[in-house]
């Protein structure tokens, strides 16, 4: 499932565009926007790909911490969860106690 950051409508993982406002989901999905913010933030050292508890086996293999330039795109290609991919990104900060 992809959520549009512009209008909050949900579209299927396979949709390239928001079904409500036609925004390009490779740029404007909430996960794509989050990834862009994290990669552009100098305080973010690495990016963690978090899978939900009921993630499919495909997604589970992607769980882990990645360098900013090596983060897999979301939704995970080949996700077999019937409700769609629920993976998300989490920033790993350089300083935990600024
Ligand atoms: Zn939209
Ligand atoms: Zn999956």
């Amino acid at each position: 499932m992809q959520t549009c950051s512009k209008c909050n409508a949900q579209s299927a993982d396979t949709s390239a565009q928001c079904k409500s406002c036609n925004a390009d989901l490779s740029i404007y999905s909430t996960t794509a926007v989050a990834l862009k913010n994290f990669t552009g933030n100098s305080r973010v050292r690495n990016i963690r790909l978090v899978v939900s508890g009921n993630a499919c086996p495909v997604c589970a293999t992607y769980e882990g911490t990645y360098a900013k330039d090596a983060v897999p795109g979301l939704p995970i290609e080949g996700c077999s969860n019937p409700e769609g991919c629920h993976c998300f990104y989490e920033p790993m900060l350089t300083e935990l106690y600024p």
Side-chain angles (χ1 to χ4, degrees):
M1 195 59 75
Q2 304 184 90
T3 305
C4 175
S5 65
K6 295 191 165 233
C7 70
N8 286 322
Q10 295 198 316
S11 300
D13 283 354
T14 48
S15 306
Q17 293 179 315
C18 172
K19 65 181 177 194
S20 164
C21 73
N22 290 324
D24 183 343
L25 290 173
S26 67
I27 299 169
Y28 295 110
S29 71
T30 50
T31 51
V33 169
L35 182 60
K36 193 164 185 293
N37 288 340
F38 297 155
T39 53
N41 183 339
S42 58
R43 293 189 60 224
V44 177
R45 182 167 41 99
N46 292 110
I47 294 166
R48 201 170 143 69
L49 198 156
V50 184
V51 308
S52 57
N54 62 347
C56 73
V58 180
C59 290
T61 63
Y62 282 90
E63 182 172 33
T65 304
Y66 293 87
K68 283 181 177 180
D69 57 0
V71 186
L74 290 182
I76 298 285
E77 215 184 310
C79 174
S80 60
N81 186 334
E83 290 168 29
C85 181
H86 287 125
C87 300
F88 60 95
Y89 300 121
E90 215 172 67
M92 307 287 283
L93 302 177
T94 43
E95 298 164 63
L96 289 177
Y97 305 100

